[in-house]
Amino acid sequence: MASVLGVAAQVNEAVARKIGAGLRAASQGPPDTLRLVVAPEELRSATEELLRLRARFLITVGIDARPLSADYRVLYLFSLDGEHLFVVLECAVSPDDPHVDSIAALVPGANWAERECRDAVGVTPDGHPDPRRLLLADDWPEGLFPLRRDFPYDYRPPAAEGVAPVPKQPPEGASVLPIGPFFPVLEEPSYWRLFVEGETVVGCDYRGFYNHRGIEKLGESTLTYNEIPYLAERICGICGFIHSTAYCQAVEKAAGIEVPRRARYIRSIMLELERVHSHLLWLGIAGHILGFDTVLMQTWRMREPVMWLAEEISGNRKTYGMNTIGGLRRDLPATVVAKVLKVVDEVERESVAVRDAIVGDTTLLARTKNVGVLTGDWARQVCVVGPPARGSGVPIDARLDHPYAAYDEVPPRLCTQQAGDTWARVLVRVEELLDSIRQVREGLARLPAGEVLAEVKDEIPRDRIGISVVEAPRGEAVHFVMTGGDNRPYRWRVRAPTYPNLQAMPAMIDHAAIADVPITLGSLDPCFSCTERVEAIDVSTHSRRVYSRQELLAMSRELTLRGGRR
Amino acid sequence: MLTAKLREALICFKAGRVTLPYPFAPHDPAPGFRGKITLDPDRCFGCGGCANVCPAGVIQVRDAGQLLRVLEFQWRRCTYCGRCEEVCPEQAITMSQQFETATDRGDDMVMRLEVFMGPCQRCGRCYVPPTPLDRMDRTGFRTGSGGRS
Ligand code: SF4
Ligand code: SF4
């Protein structure tokens, strides 16, 4: 702990040296969080300094603090991974003219975060390279900012007619191939316009957030601290436990609640079981995209016992409902331990068999090697997380960088690959799957006795912040909580791992074949939903052709049948 | 390549038939499964604790005059979290094992309970402290004051 404080002092000093009086205040909330209040005009210099110290940008949090201090606050969250420290750059923005300098030129990964902050809270990033709407629907009225405190959570704006997303202009001579608003690969709405020359992708444009549910607003306005975990759990349809864990940890950090050791172990075990079933699910879907349904059938068969196990432990196969502030609502019964071991033994044996089978499959290799390459450098710049980052040689893992639950005592092995292609991401996930099984075994062997819930008797104090990161199967999820009165957070911010990862997509499909787009997107394991139509518009003739999901899938699969020969 | 395909074939062959014959044969959930909530009307004394903690706003409490308290469960919204079961001081709510809850009639998903309340003649309240109600004072058992009415 002393070293973290030492590092924090050094960072504080470095920033002070760089921006002088522009650093208005510095404080340490939870021991692993350094909060620096900087003058808005010094934000860029402060960011530069943090980047020099190899900080990684996480997310922006816009807060309407008018009821507290008559201003808006924009918080830029960074992580110094090796030093286990979070650094927050905080700017107070006047409500008369809510503008702040964009840092997207320094940190390409801040692109969406700044647009989102503008859409939700109304603080405009000056000099942003792509200031189009991100979060809000196209028919949402101008000047209405849903995350402002005076905006009612149940307000419904009138419907508007004749609105459409603002499209990006394709490069000269390229045709546009729109895919969406429902993407044909995974079950979620997302609208891509591919700019193509013949079969080759030369650029793309993205419009998403069709499924925006206003979860943060609900948490801040109608739910209470202990009701939010059940909402958080429903953010993701596959790995919900990571969100309830991250949320609870953020509140526990802010309030200084000590979670019993046993509860921390059980959280770790459940998180790893979740990774096991999620990676198996992903492997199946990847196979399905490539027309290799054997993998889909078999991995999903192997996955099912893990789901049943989760049901037996928690009471539900997916929404475990175990997490609560201060620990867990359910203990792990001693009787279930033997079953867990039996199931993971079986999953391990079968996963190894599947791995050994697919590594020799030349068709599979042809479809994934050198496909969707993400360079380590670009991965860092766009702040990519999780298996896509590790597959590109970026050695980050929230479980090691900011140990939570029981990862300080049962750490994971860092699984990295250098190639950055789809095959590298397959290898990372398979390796992680096997490592998760090891962690479950080790966690169970070392499981301490005792309570699983710390009783929270006192009121949670106001105006404290807590940042918690959790390594989800898809990468690092970030939850930020600023506590409020009224038994609920003043601000709750969630950043799911797909958020940064999707921003890497344009670079990954640049100069790819159209048939490789589905697997490239699929290889990010994006968490967004599925598909019925794809339509192609040839810009020169304005002719329009509608591809069905089957056709797009067929294009991808046909390439597999040709043995990956292009 | 061929060995890879043979290995894959072997995995499939070994798996055999996996699909369960459900619904022709029952497939019971594991013990401890949180299914549809059941209510024991004789036990409920109308404290409203369940309504206070329900994250989905399933449970509404209305007072019809001084003597009657009406609890309405709109459990189509239920998230099966089991918080109501957990806080109920009288174990009036239990999570059953029932999961086959599909219906085409909205009414099937409403439960209504009328609790006859005996208020104190002097203050109009039902109980004086200490009562099981005090448990609701703890953080996390209380509801916020703003937002949902
Ligand atoms: S189980 Fe949860 S959501 Fe359902 S009624 Fe009880 S508290 Fe509400
Ligand atoms: S908590 Fe139990 S006793 Fe109180 S109102 Fe609900 S069901 Fe009735």
Side-chain angles (χ1 to χ4, degrees):
Chain A
M1 197 55 80
S3 72
V4 174
L5 293 176
V7 173
Q10 280 167 21
V11 173
N12 188 356
E13 231 168 79
V15 174
R17 227 178 302 130
K18 172 105 180 184
I19 64 174
L23 177 63
R24 294 194 175 145
S27 59
Q28 200 116 0
D32 65 348
T33 309
L34 175 68
R35 188 174 177 180
L36 302 173
V37 182
V38 299
E41 60 277 9
E42 294 292 353
L43 175 65
R44 280 195 189 142
S45 317
T47 305
E48 272 168 14
E49 188 57 25
L50 289 185
L51 293 179
R52 196 185 62 76
L53 297 169
R54 301 186 66 78
R56 181 168 60 85
F57 174 76
L58 298 177
I59 192 65
T60 305
V61 189
I63 303 179
D64 175 4
R66 286 174 301 167
L68 304 176
S69 50
D71 54 15
Y72 298 111
R73 293 184 203 160
V74 187
L75 277 60
Y76 297 81
L77 274 46
F78 290 86
S79 159
L80 284 167
D81 295 316
E83 289 78 15
H84 316 302
L85 180 74
F86 296 111
V87 183
V88 180
L89 291 185
E90 180 174 334
C91 286
V93 181
S94 145
D96 307 327
D97 180 31
H99 282 260
V100 68
D101 286 343
S102 165
I103 60 162
L106 300 170
V107 189
N111 185 319
W112 283 17
E114 293 190 330
R115 287 161 71 186
E116 183 175 348
C117 181
R118 191 260 333 270
D119 284 4
V121 187
V123 179
T124 309
D126 286 331
H128 193 284
D130 181 12
R132 293 176 300 162
R133 264 191 186 181
L134 179 77
L135 178 85
L136 296 179
D138 296 305
D139 62 351
W140 187 267
E142 283 296 332
L144 274 187
F145 302 104
L147 280 184
R148 288 199 176 164
R149 299 296 291 189
D150 47 11
F151 184 92
Y153 80 95
D154 51 357
Y155 178 78
R156 283 163 193 249
E161 299 278 321
V163 283
V166 183
K168 194 154 101 186
Q169 282 308 311
E172 194 74 32
S175 305
V176 181
L177 173 76
I179 306 181
F182 289 91
F183 197 90
V185 178
L186 295 151
E187 283 84 34
E188 272 171 90
S190 106
Y191 177 38
W192 296 85
R193 292 164 65 245
L194 302 181
F195 305 143
V196 294
E197 277 170 7
E199 285 271 309
T200 310
V201 178
V202 294
C204 72
D205 185 16
Y206 174 75
R207 179 76 176 117
F209 292 83
Y210 290 115
N211 208 10
H212 186 72
R213 291 163 285 176
I215 280 179
E216 292 175 9
K217 183 76 181 176
L218 270 184
E220 293 163 19
S221 47
T222 81
L223 299 183
T224 58
Y225 280 121
N226 259 337
E227 289 174 344
I228 294 178
Y230 309 99
L231 180 64
E233 199 159 61
R234 285 162 174 81
I235 291 174
C236 179
I238 301 163
C239 50
F241 196 71
I242 64 116
H243 283 292
S244 61
T245 307
Y247 162 77
C248 290
Q249 288 180 165
V251 176
E252 286 153 5
K253 249 191 211 177
I257 297 164
E258 201 47 60
V259 176
R261 207 68 221 166
R262 184 178 172 84
R264 302 178 61 143
Y265 263 81
I266 296 173
R267 278 185 182 169
S268 265
I269 291 166
M270 295 309 286
L271 288 166
E272 291 313 314
L273 283 176
E274 201 169 61
R275 187 176 332 274
V276 168
H277 81 64
S278 178
H279 278 358
L280 284 172
L281 172 133
W282 175 81
L283 210 59
I285 292 189
H288 174 68
I289 296 169
L290 297 174
F292 193 0
D293 281 335
T294 308
V295 178
L296 172 72
M297 295 298 169
Q298 297 310 322
T299 52
W300 283 43
R301 169 181 62 76
M302 288 150 55
R303 171 181 184 258
E304 197 54 24
V306 185
M307 306 305 286
W308 289 347
L309 200 57
E311 180 180 301
E312 182 156 358
I313 297 172
S314 72
N316 199 298
R317 59 188 267 129
K318 155 63 186 68
T319 41
Y320 302 161
M322 280 171 91
N323 271 322
T324 194
I325 310 250
L328 299 174
R329 295 169 57 207
R330 271 200 199 199
D331 199 351
L332 191 74
T335 48
V336 99
V337 173
K339 271 192 199 164
V340 177
L341 291 174
K342 195 161 153 266
V343 169
V344 294
D345 282 352
E346 187 65 16
V347 171
E348 183 178 46
R349 202 180 52 71
E350 297 212 80
S351 306
V352 168
V354 167
R355 180 195 65 190
D356 292 348
I358 63 174
V359 287
D361 196 315
T362 43
T363 320
L364 197 67
L365 289 178
R367 284 304 317 273
T368 54
K369 276 218 157 159
N370 291 319
V371 169
V373 176
L374 173 65
T375 62
D377 180 53
W378 190 243
R380 275 178 216 273
Q381 293 213 38
V382 192
C383 311
V384 169
V385 294
R390 292 191 285 276
S392 298
V394 182
I396 51 169
D397 187 323
R399 295 171 289 176
L400 294 164
D401 301 332
H402 300 282
Y404 51 91
Y407 291 113
D408 49 350
E409 291 180 8
V410 186
R413 239 169 3 96
L414 186 65
C415 309
T416 53
Q417 291 284 330
Q418 298 303 321
D421 56 6
T422 300
W423 181 242
R425 295 188 274 279
V426 173
L427 292 179
V428 166
R429 291 198 179 94
V430 171
E431 221 185 307
E432 281 182 9
L433 168 69
L434 298 174
D435 191 50
S436 293
I437 292 173
R438 173 193 65 82
Q439 289 176 69
V440 169
R441 279 200 199 108
E442 234 167 86
L444 284 175
R446 300 177 57 171
L447 187 65
E451 291 291 308
V452 292
L453 180 63
E455 204 175 349
V456 184
K457 281 204 170 124
D458 302 328
E459 194 83 25
I460 291 177
R462 288 166 171 263
D463 295 330
R464 300 238 193 126
I465 62 168
I467 302 170
S468 154
V469 291
V470 164
E471 187 70 23
R474 286 155 192 74
E476 165 207 74
V478 184
H479 280 233
F480 166 95
V481 165
M482 174 175 157
T483 57
D486 236 4
N487 200 23
R488 65 171 60 101
Y490 189 85
R491 182 78 170 90
W492 170 39
R493 176 79 166 107
V494 180
R495 195 219 62 196
T498 303
Y499 192 91
N501 289 357
L502 259 194
Q503 296 181 66
M505 200 32 199
M508 292 165 68
I509 56 173
D510 199 26
H511 289 91
I514 296 175
D516 279 336
V517 171
I519 185 61
T520 303
L521 183 61
S523 76
L524 288 176
D525 198 1
C527 194
F528 64 10
S529 48
C530 191
T531 41
E532 226 23 278
R533 286 154 42 105
V534 176
E535 67 177 26
I537 302 174
D538 192 318
V539 206
S540 48
T541 60
H542 288 275
S543 63
R544 172 186 279 231
R545 133 141 232 250
V546 176
Y547 284 95
S548 70
R549 161 172 189 269
Q550 274 72 18
E551 278 175 287
L552 202 82
L553 206 55
M555 276 172 87
S556 168
R557 293 173 158 207
E558 196 197 308
L559 187 55
T560 306
L561 287 180
R562 293 204 304 269
R565 282 182 306 276
R566 284 148 225 276
Chain B
M1 180 67 189
L2 187 65
T3 46
K5 290 294 170 210
L6 285 174
R7 280 187 168 143
E8 284 154 22
L10 186 67
I11 292 171
C12 300
F13 184 69
K14 271 212 230 147
R17 182 187 156 148
V18 183
T19 312
L20 300 171
Y22 180 84
F24 303 108
H27 181 61
D28 292 330
F33 171 78
R34 302 187 308 267
K36 183 194 164 216
I37 47 174
T38 53
L39 193 58
D40 182 345
D42 293 338
R43 286 175 168 240
C44 174
F45 69 110
C47 69
C50 50
N52 253 2
V53 297
C54 174
V58 169
I59 309 163
Q60 278 150 15
V61 182
R62 268 186 303 116
D63 282 333
Q66 278 226 330
L67 292 176
L68 198 64
R69 174 161 271 195
V70 183
L71 268 80
E72 218 163 59
F73 290 71
Q74 304 282 348
W75 62 267
R76 73 178 74 190
R77 301 172 58 106
C78 180
T79 63
Y80 303 92
C81 67
R83 281 285 276 156
C84 48
E85 176 192 47
E86 191 174 69
V87 300
C88 178
E90 293 295 307
Q91 285 83 45
I93 300 182
T94 36
M95 307 298 287
S96 70
Q97 295 279 89
Q98 196 184 335
F99 62 93
E100 288 152 317
T101 53
T103 171
D104 55 3
R105 284 186 38 203
D107 301 353
D108 288 347
M109 309 203 84
V110 184
M111 283 191 290
R112 212 177 113 99
L113 179 67
E114 295 180 357
V115 189
F116 183 76
M117 309 291 277
C120 160
Q121 289 296 307
R122 191 171 301 165
C123 69
R125 289 170 40 151
C126 302
Y127 293 86
V128 283
T131 73
L133 290 172
D134 294 340
R135 219 172 130 216
M136 309 297 160
D137 269 345
R138 286 207 326 243
T139 305
F141 284 85
R142 282 191 318 115
T143 185
S145 56
R148 197 168 52 218
S149 51

